[in-house]
Structures are given as C-alpha cells and as structure tokens.
Amino acid sequence: RWANPGREGAGSPWGELWAQGWEWDRSVWWQCPGTLFFGFVVGHAGLYQALAMFAVAYFIIGMTVLSVCAIATNGALDAGGAYYMISRALGPEFGGSIGIMFFLANVCGSALYVLGLVEAVVDSFGIPPVGTGVHVLPQSYWYELLYGTVLLALCLLVCLVGASIYAKATFLIFLIVAAVLGTILVSFFATRPLRVPIRLPHSPNGSETDNGSFTGFSLDTLRDNLGGGYAVDYTTGQMMSFSSVFAVMFNGCTGIMAGSNMSGDLKHPSYSIPRGTISAVLFTYLVYNLLAFLMCATCNRILLQKDYGFLRDISIFPPLVTVGIYAATLSAAMSNLIGASRILYALARDDLFGRALALAKKTSASGNPVMAVILSWLVVQVVLFSGKLNTIAGVVTTFFLLVYATVNLACLALEWASAPNFRPTFRYFTWHTCLLGIAGCCVMMFLISPVSASVSLGFLLLLLLALHYLSPSSTWGYISQALIFHQVRKYLLMLDVRKDHVKFWRPQMLLMVQNPRGSARLIDFVNDLKKSGLYVLGHVELQDLDMLPSDPLQSQQDSWLSLVDKLNVKAFVSLTLAPSVRHGVRQLLFTSGLGGMRPNTLVLGFYDDEAPQDGLARHPAFTSAREEVPLGFPPLRAPTAPKLLSAREYVGIVADALKMLRNVLLARQLESLDKAWELRRAASPPPTIHVWPVNLLRPDSARYADTCSLFLLQMACVLNMARAWRRARLRLFLCVEAGTMPHAQEEKLRQLLKDLRIQAQIQLVPWDAITRLHWQTCRGPPGRPAEEEEEEEGVVNFPTNTTQVSDEYVCAANKLVLEQSPAPAVRFLYLPRPPADTSLYPLYLHQLELLTRGLGPTVLVHGVSAVTSTQL
C-alpha cells in the first residue's frame, strides 16, 4: 500500500513520496519531445547560462520549499495544502484569497496539461500528417476540444474513485516516466552519430528542411554549445533572449506544492511532505543539470534550436518516449485536478464564502469530496474552451508564484512574531530564506509576464478586501495580532517617559463608566477629545474576589469590547474589582496603560440627582443598523435606587486624581449632546464652543494664564481640531470689572491666543454685579490676602473660600454663563480644586451643581500640568 488516503494502515514514506510528488513526473516528461522543450533552453542559452538559470530557479524554489517544510512540521495538517498553511498562519483574508487563486492555478494547470497532451497526440496522429507514423485523428478546434474532454473525463473517473487509486496510478506513471528517462540517458551513450532532417514550419509550403546533427560525445560540440546563441524560435517566430528563455524554463519548476495539496490524504503529512518535496526538488535539479550537459556534449546547436522533439529521434526505443509524454502529461492533469478539488473542499468546509461553496462540502462514504471533484472538473472543462496554451501557461505560472510568495510570507510572519508555539521540527530555515523566497517569486512573476503579474496582484487585493469585510470571524488565530504585539512591545520599550516634552503632549484619557447604557454619548465625546492619545474605558465592579468562585470580569470583557467596536471609538477597556468605587479608580489610575502610555487625564460623569437615560439604545450605531444593544450590561439604576458612591467619595476621587498629578474633567449633561444635529445645522451661524477660562468660584483670584486656564484652552482647542467639530467656532469669555482697563486685558489675551496658535473669538463680559455679591458676603475690601498671593499657581483655589462663596453668588454666576447667546453646543468651565478639609466636600459639590445647573452639555476642567508651547 503505497499511500493511505483511507488511513487504513501504515503507509511507506517512499510510497507517500510518490503520492505527493508529481513533480517527479513533470521533471522527467519535461525532457520529452512536443512538451516543454528542454532542448529549447540549452539550444538558445548554452550550457553556462542554462546551468545559471537552473541555479537561480532552484534557489528560489529551494527557499520556498524550506518555508513549506517549516510550516508543515509546526502542527497537524489537514486538507487544503498551501491554503490550509496560509489561512491558519495569516488568517482567513489571506488564506481565502490565496486559496481561490491556488484553486484557479490548479484548474488552469489541469487544462494546460490536457491541452498539451491533446497537442502531442495530434502532432503524432493528426490529419493532415505531420512527420511520420499513423495519422487518423481529424484536426480542428472542435475535434481538439472533444479529445480534451475525453481525456479530462478519464482524469475525472480516477479522481472520483479517490486518492487511493490516484496514488497507485501516479506510482505506475512514475515507473513509466522513470523508464523513459533511463532510456534517454542510455541513448546518449548507445546511439551512433546521425543526421536528423528538420522540416522548417515557416518555410513556403513547409518544404524547406535543414539537418541537425547528433555527434555523440564530442569536445568540439561541447565547446560550440558552452556560450549563448539566441535565435528566432521556430514555433513562434519571435527572437529569444535570456529572460524569455528563463521564463519558459521556470514553468517546469512550479510543482513543489503538489504534495502538500494532498495533505488531507496522507497518513503523516508533517513527516512525508518535507522529505518527499525536498527529495523531488533535489532529484529534478540533478536531472536537469545532467541532461543539459549530455545534450550540449552530443547535439549541435541546429538540432537543439530547430527540433525540440529530437530526443525521440535519437532514442533507442522511440515509442517509449511518446508513451512517457502521454503518461506524464496525464498524471500532471490528474494531479492538478485532484489538488484543485482538495483546495475547494477545504474552502467550503471553512465557510469563508458562505453558501456559494456549500455544495462542495459533500463527500462520499469513504470521505472523498466528490462534489468538489465534479465542480473542479466543470471549471477545467470551461477553461478548455479557450484552447490557448500560451495564455493559460502565463496565468498558471503567475498564480503559482503568487502562492509560493505567500507561503514564504506566512513563514516569515510566524518567525518574526516570535510566538512560543511556533516550534517546527524542521529547523533549516531563517527569516532570511523567507525574504529571499518572497523577493525571488515577485521578480519571477514580473519577468515571466508583467501583465499577468499585475492582474493577479489586483485580483488578490480585491479578494482580500472582499473577505475582510464579508467573511465571518475565525478561531484560527491571526498572525497580524502576534506581529502587532511584537512591534508594540518593542516600541513601548523605546517610549521613554523621561524624554517627554510639552511640545508633543497629547491627552491620554481614562473615562470611568458605571453603565454604558447611560454614557454612550459621553464615550463618543471623549473619543473626540483624545487627539490620537490613549483612551481607556474604566469600570469598577463592587465585589470581593475572596467571596467569589472565579473572576466575574472575564465574562464581561467581550461585551465591553463589542461595545467599543459598535460605537467605533478607539479605546481600550480596563475593568477591576474593588470594595469601593474610590479604591477601584485609584487602582486604574495606578495600573492602566503601559510604559510611556498611561492616562494623564481622568474623566468622570457629574454627580447629581438626575435619573439616568438609556442613550445606548438611541445611539446612531444601533438605531441606523437596527442592531440590538450588546448583552451583558445591566439595566440602568432606578431613580429611587441608592447610588453606588456618596458625594464625599465622588469628590474624594477628584482629589485623589489631582494628588496623583492627573488632570480632571467632569462632564455634565453630555448625554443631551446630539453631536450629529449640532454639526448638521445651517452653515450660518456655525455651532459654537463656549470657553470660560476664569475660576468663577474665586473672583478674587481670576487669572487667564495659570496652568489650569491654559489646560482648559488646550482641551477646547483639541475638541475643535477633531474632524467632526471643525465647523464649530471657539468663543472665549473675558470677565472684566469697571476700572480695570478691559481693552488692555483683551489685547493681552489676544496675544496669548496668537502665541498658542488658537483661533477664537474673544467676548468681554462685565461682571461687576456678580463680584459685588461676593464681596458683600466676604465683608471685606476687594483684593487678595497676601498669603494667598504667595500660593503656588496650581493650588490657589479652595483653602477657605468655599464657605465664603454664597449660593446667591454661584446662582448669579450660573445666570451670567447662561445668558451668553447663542446657546453653544458645549461649554468648558474652570474646575476649582477640592478643599483640603474633607468635611467641605458636600458643599463643594453643591456649589459645582449650582454653577452648572441648566447649562446643557458642560465640561468642568482642572489641569495640573503644562500642556501648551509657543516654541518650535
């Protein structure tokens, strides 16, 4: 039992070599007349250049074989051969697109060999006669199509029976072709010198002849054939060159995947494919070089160039050469047909193309994919109608080379990813061999046929895009993820926080989300604010791991990641368990991010008594696509239900973030922001963003150029730079009092905006009436205490002033902000630092609530780090 497709028992490794290696047959029948014109190569190129061509071609092939062997020995192989290797390494997009192209390559290859066999048969037995012999077969396009259909039907019958009979037939054909090769080798030594009459096909009436000479072994003949002697090809009338001869020669070296195509039918594919493929490549390389030397030493150049079928004339048994041609060509056609069916079956089984290939899944009782065989046969039959050998040959070789390049790419990606599970038992390869294989295949594609290569690459790109958007996700693993991980880790190590500079600062957000159902628009808004920085969605689950059997966050991770995909935000997800929300936020502030990519800004929703609204169900990501909200998120808290954290704890979170030198943003009523409606409004007037860079709760310390005010300006500018907000206009409010030279203050602020390259409209707002309320409450003269003058810039906010600002003053400040028309899309206000006395936290939060009541979408901002630069 030479092969064991039914896996009934142990198959011989050499038997599996025959089953996997029709390249053995191809390599031998390539020397036979009427086929791939081996004499054509050495006749035009000469011995030296022919040997160089073989070396270059087999170098390219050898690099690819090393990649095939590495992938084949890295795990269990299933049906599909190269498609299976590529899809499991590079993912479904590459695998499916290359699978289709490999299927078409095998289909066209099968048609190519059937047409070649028809041509050989008609040359020998066709009417009108060509040469000597029996001529009984009519010649025309339809007759030749009939002959091809009959031969293809014979191949179909063998393939329908199964891989077992195919393996036995292949072995029998191998013996025949080996006998032909032996006869040819003996003929070089046994045949006496003779002259071979050659009829020139392009001569008038076909009557002109020339004489070629078989001289036997002659040093003079060898000397004459050492160099190149490119001439006109008598079959096409075209002048030959090194590249054109090399292209023809390389067509005979593209069968290295034939064995891997049978991976699903071999008992031990990981064992047999490397040994069989390497042995076949070495064998063919030796045969090519040996025959090149023998031909150049025994045949003159006229014979080599003008009669590509001269081997039959010098053979000691010419009929055996003809039989070898027929047998080897039929074997190659069967090999491509059965290879195409296995690839089609593997594609159908993986469901990459849905119902389009559902029929190809059907198999016989013994497991033979009969419907895939029949469908492949039908496609080959369609290709036969073209009847053009040269056109098909160019497409076949280009497709095969593209598959080989992708196999090298798959091996290169696996090697570069450095995944621990990539441990092939075949170790005779490196990433250098993969790169050389890719480069060699690409060069050969464009050398053989630039047009075919360009069309093939375009077709591959279309298939990649189609599968990327239409194919279902797979569980095979994506090499792209491993490569990205490898590169990200390398660049994160290079990202040195000690080299940070304010010129290159960008916001890196940590947005705390209790329930995404009530925060969909806030998530989207912060995505606009991040400006290509890090964006993390944080969530605290109030549970104790000691009291749980397993981590409950694992089951929630997928729901959060699906939410990120649906909302189309570029965010990471970070979940944690903690006994309180405050402890959980601390954990995330300490641990979120990696290396130089850590959140520098904390974003919180506002703490108020408003009932949460389910904005997720109304979000355009779900309403437009008519999709259900992802499961896994609990319903929103009922208005009467207790909150998960107190007001004191909420303010404590803000204080913790500032102590950890994180900027803080508090977002109120962002769920009422309909960004799409705001930005679709009529062009006149465009939507506005109101910016209040003064601390409204400290009128006695109002500054426009402190760290917090500059950070607030930066965040408003960043929002305005986002693609969706570019139509909006910034409006900056300058609060002035009588007798303070407002125009000088305005000019100073305008110069600051100019230095910061921020385009904004400045609007003067008198607030004497507002500040008068403050001083009446304080019962003191205007001005700041000396000790507060000396305080650091970042902490001149709330030491004792909380108790001094009355609710009446805060409500007046709120009315002042609200009266500025037209109503903006969003407001940015200055967020004071929480008081040092924790007992004042509730009062602090109460005043923030009064300040922002009824303002619509509002962001309170407090910055602790310098983020603006006026330098190059």
Side-chain angles (χ1 to χ4, degrees), residues 360-426:
K361 294 182 184 179
K362 299 183 182 299
T363 62
S364 64
S366 61
N368 185 32
V370 289
M371 290 309 301
V373 173
I374 293 174
L375 290 174
S376 302
W377 166 75
L378 287 173
V379 180
V380 175
Q381 184 64 58
V382 170
V383 176
L384 283 181
F385 280 94
S386 71
K388 297 181 179 179
L389 266 174
N390 292 339
T391 303
I392 298 175
V395 173
V396 169
T397 304
T398 303
F399 277 17
F400 272 120
L401 283 172
L402 198 54
V403 173
Y404 301 161
T406 312
V407 170
N408 282 299
L409 177 62
C411 188
L412 177 67
L414 290 169
E415 179 69 8
W416 274 355
S418 300
N421 284 320
F422 183 57
R423 299 190 298 270
T425 56
F426 182 87

Side-chain angles (χ1 to χ4, degrees), residues 505-509 522-535 601 603 665 667 670 712 714-720 722 725 826 828 859 861:
W505 179 91
R506 67 183 69 235
Q508 306 200 78
M509 304 293 197
L522 177 57
I523 294 172
D524 188 51
F525 178 78
V526 178
N527 187 62
D528 291 334
L529 269 179
K530 71 181 187 308
K531 187 55 181 174
S532 302
L534 178 67
Y535 184 17
T601 304
V603 186
L665 274 62
L670 260 296
L712 188 149
Q714 182 82 322
M715 295 310 299
C717 181
V718 166
L719 180 66
N720 194 208
W725 290 88
V826 64
F828 283 85
V859 182
V861 180

Side-chain angles (χ1 to χ4, degrees), residues 687-737:
T688 58
I689 301 172
H690 285 190
V691 182
W692 294 79
V694 64
N695 184 353
L696 293 173
L697 297 185
R698 284 296 301 272
D700 56 341
S701 62
R703 297 182 184 178
Y704 289 93
D706 65 4
T707 300
C708 186
S709 297
L710 292 176
F711 181 80
L712 188 149
L713 281 173
Q714 182 82 322
M715 295 310 299
C717 181
V718 166
L719 180 66
N720 194 208
M721 293 169 68
R723 184 186 301 273
W725 290 88
R726 287 177 183 170
R727 278 194 61 245
R729 297 292 180 262
L730 290 182
R731 178 173 294 175
L732 187 62
F733 293 92
L734 176 60
C735 297
V736 295
E737 298 180 56

Side-chain angles (χ1 to χ4, degrees), residues 226-302:
L226 289 178
Y230 297 101
V232 175
D233 175 24
Y234 74 88
T235 62
T236 63
Q238 297 178 352
M239 185 66 185
M240 294 294 100
S241 63
F242 181 90
S243 60
S244 59
V245 173
F246 187 63
V248 172
M249 185 276 301
F250 198 81
N251 276 288
C253 308
T254 55
I256 57 175
M257 288 294 181
S260 62
N261 287 347
M262 301 295 294
S263 56
D265 299 295
L266 301 175
K267 185 174 179 61
H268 301 294
S270 296
Y271 177 87
S272 302
I273 288 176
R275 287 161 178 79
T277 305
I278 292 175
S279 301
V281 169
L282 291 176
F283 176 79
T284 55
Y285 180 65
L286 292 175
V287 169
Y288 283 6
N289 282 275
L290 176 61
L291 286 177
F293 174 78
L294 293 176
M295 289 180 183
C296 289
T298 58
C299 304
N300 71 353
R301 196 175 292 272
I302 294 177

